[in-house]
Amino acid sequence: MKHFLRVLTQFLVFLYCKCLWRGLKFVIRKVTGRCELQRICYNNKPGARRTLKIESSLKCSKNELLQSAVSVHPDAVEKTIDDIMALKKIHPDTNPQLAISLQASLFQIVGYRNLVLEVEKLRREPYDCENPKHEEMLMELWKALCPESPLTGRISKQWCEIGFQGSDPKTDFRGMGLLGLHNLLYFAEHDKATALQVLHDSLQPKHSKISKADWEKKKFDKAIGYSFAIVGINITDLAYSLLVSGALKTHLYNVAPEMPSLLHFQQTFCYLMQEFHRFWIEEDPSDIMEFNRVRTKFHNRILKQLKNPDMALCPHFTASDLHLVNL
């Protein structure tokens, strides 16, 4: 019986999408004198609410021009808008705002697609210790986080002080490739005060009754945290999954007036890093073994926030301006 109801529900949904909805759209257009794209633009404010509906409308259209509009090159956006206006028989002189609204949304849509490709390319590029640019970025990361402690050598246990697992950080970048290094370096250079605070906090003993000297001497696994760099790579993975799944569209369509860029993604990473830091403190885990539980809970909370079409994780991003728990 349950299987029959499920099949019946799927059939009714299919029937609605393929027949009834198209008929309803035709009736609404005749009554209002506006096509679906016009109604979306005029009835929704700029940002995710408008762009997500336009994107859905274009993808679901039976017209090849409209379907392909979401994947055009940025240089072809203006021509594509002109073609859409002609197809819908909408005169630009009598509807000037429509072309502007459609163009802004289409730039966001194709920009998001290109951002996914750019981020994926960085993720797939492995760290190469023979590449001078890669090595330079790694050295800059050390200088930004430990400006008063010269590195004794490229292979050194000192890397553990900023949260790498061993004496050679390159092994920790295998999961996220250069994307992890790019994000960590951006955080350390563009919001240095916050990055240093998070790094400092992550190294503190969890329990106030244990002095830092005793904690280091006995090697208790009771730091407030975590390994800064490893968590940064892990949060990079979280941000990447949000981007690729499309969940991050809500945020990026609300903060990027036109094309979302790598800069927007890196700013989002910085926000997620400090939000995770605060969340970790609130959760008060007993040790690092609870990391996956806390991360999953944090991930679900961000996903819930992004379901709100008006959500902007960091609308006017300056990480230092955001409150950070000061231990």
Side-chain angles (χ1 to χ4, degrees):
M1 186 64 180
K2 289 183 178 179
H3 177 70
F4 172 75
L5 291 175
R6 188 182 304 112
V7 172
L8 179 61
T9 301
Q10 291 175 346
F11 173 74
L12 291 175
V13 170
F14 173 81
L15 185 65
Y16 173 77
C17 294
K18 290 294 183 180
C19 303
L20 297 180
W21 173 237
R22 296 191 186 280
L24 182 61
K25 284 170 62 177
F26 176 80
V27 172
I28 293 175
R29 172 156 192 176
K30 289 299 182 182
V31 172
T32 63
R34 294 176 176 177
C35 69
E36 184 178 35
L37 291 176
Q38 285 176 298
R39 296 194 300 273
I40 292 173
C41 289
Y42 293 147
N43 298 333
N44 295 274
K45 64 181 182 180
R49 281 187 180 274
R50 176 188 291 173
T51 301
L52 287 172
K53 290 181 180 180
I54 289 176
E55 186 173 14
S56 176
S57 177
L58 293 174
K59 286 182 176 180
C60 295
S61 175
K62 292 193 300 181
N63 185 278
E64 186 176 343
L65 169 65
L66 299 181
Q67 285 182 354
S68 62
V70 297
S71 57
V72 299
H73 190 276
D75 293 342
V77 166
E78 291 188 22
K79 182 181 184 304
T80 300
I81 297 300
D82 291 339
D83 293 341
I84 291 175
M85 298 283 282
L87 176 69
K88 295 293 184 179
K89 299 178 180 178
I90 302 172
H91 201 284
D93 292 338
T94 56
N95 295 270
Q97 188 57 43
L98 178 63
I100 295 173
S101 299
L102 281 176
Q103 181 172 304
S105 291
L106 196 54
F107 268 125
Q108 288 184 318
I109 294 167
V110 300
Y112 191 96
R113 183 203 64 189
N114 289 344
L115 175 59
V116 171
L117 296 176
E118 184 178 5
V119 167
E120 181 64 25
K121 183 179 179 181
L122 284 173
R123 188 189 71 85
R124 288 178 176 273
E125 184 174 356
Y127 183 90
D128 181 6
C129 58
E130 300 297 325
N131 189 317
K133 291 184 178 180
H134 295 187
E135 288 287 285
E136 182 181 357
M137 289 176 64
L138 187 60
M139 294 300 109
E140 290 300 319
L141 177 63
W142 175 267
K143 292 176 184 177
L145 294 175
C146 300
E148 299 179 1
S149 300
L151 195 63
T152 58
R154 167 62 180 78
I155 307 297
S156 171
K157 284 292 183 181
Q158 285 178 284
W159 290 110
C160 297
E161 296 176 17
I162 60 173
F164 287 103
Q165 295 184 105
S167 56
D168 190 352
K170 75 173 184 179
T171 58
D172 294 326
F173 292 119
R174 281 176 294 192
M176 284 287 106
L178 276 191
L179 183 62
L181 179 55
H182 271 273
N183 279 352
L184 284 170
L185 184 57
Y186 183 91
F187 188 31
E189 290 186 336
H190 290 81
D191 195 46
K192 193 167 186 175
T194 306
L196 290 175
Q197 182 69 59
V198 172
L199 174 61
H200 174 268
D201 291 347
S202 72
L203 297 172
Q204 302 308 303
K206 179 176 174 60
H207 301 298
S208 58
K209 294 181 180 179
I210 305 175
S211 69
K212 185 173 182 179
D214 289 339
W215 173 70
E216 290 177 340
K217 182 179 179 181
K218 297 180 181 181
K219 296 182 180 178
F220 287 136
D221 188 16
K222 298 292 183 182
I224 194 167
Y226 42 72
S227 300
F228 175 86
I230 294 300
V231 167
I233 295 171
N234 205 289
I235 296 301
T236 293
D237 176 65
L238 188 151
Y240 167 79
S241 68
L242 292 174
L243 179 74
V244 173
S245 69
L248 211 54
K249 286 181 179 179
T250 303
H251 163 67
L252 292 178
Y253 287 169
N254 282 328
V255 299
E258 288 193 346
M259 294 181 63
S261 65
L262 184 61
L263 176 64
H264 293 106
F265 179 75
Q266 291 174 320
Q267 290 175 343
T268 304
F269 164 78
C270 294
Y271 173 83
L272 291 174
M273 272 293 285
Q274 56 184 316
E275 282 299 299
F276 179 80
H277 179 70
R278 183 187 295 115
F279 188 74
W280 178 270
I281 295 170
E282 292 173 355
E283 286 293 299
D284 193 27
S286 59
D287 55 42
I288 195 64
M289 298 304 292
E290 291 195 68
F291 179 81
N292 286 337
R293 175 189 68 80
V294 176
R295 182 194 185 277
T296 299
K297 190 173 181 180
F298 176 72
H299 189 189
N300 290 336
R301 188 173 81 166
I302 296 297
L303 283 173
K304 184 177 180 180
Q305 292 175 346
L306 290 172
K307 288 181 179 180
N308 177 1
D310 296 321
M311 184 64 189
L313 295 176
C314 37
H316 304 291
F317 183 86
T318 301
S320 295
D321 292 341
L322 299 173
H323 174 67
L324 183 67
V325 176
N326 190 1
L327 301 177

